[in-house]
Amino acid sequence: MAKRQVFHSVPSKEGWAFKHKGEVVSNHRTQKAAESAAILAGHKAEGQGGLGQAVLHKSDGTIRKERTYGADPRSTKG
């Protein structure tokens, strides 16, 4: 089974950050730009035959939306 790669769009001191494995990959001025980077990375992981997930956060840091790309083995409603 392919391992899921999780990408986050989170608020930061500089505006918004795109993170992977707890590390900042890039900083962005807008939430939309950071979300686009996370979504693109999720699609790229899927395109490489794996699973990708974009976790999009609100400005208070809580999760606003999660998107999964690839054949998700979980059978939960969501």
Side-chain angles (χ1 to χ4, degrees), residues 2-64:
K3 186 171 179 171
R4 179 188 308 256
Q5 294 189 58
V6 182
F7 307 97
H8 293 265
S9 155
V10 298
S12 70
K13 292 178 184 177
E14 294 80 26
W16 287 84
F18 160 49
K19 292 179 127 183
H20 179 58
K21 296 183 180 179
E23 300 288 326
V24 174
V25 177
S26 59
N27 288 297
H28 302 270
R29 292 186 332 150
T30 66
Q31 180 180 19
K32 186 175 181 174
E35 288 179 354
S36 293
I39 291 167
L40 182 64
H43 282 294
K44 186 175 179 180
E46 175 191 18
Q48 294 172 344
L51 297 172
Q53 183 177 19
V55 181
L56 312 176
H57 294 260
K58 297 179 189 178
S59 59
D60 66 3
T62 60
I63 295 174
R64 180 173 62 85

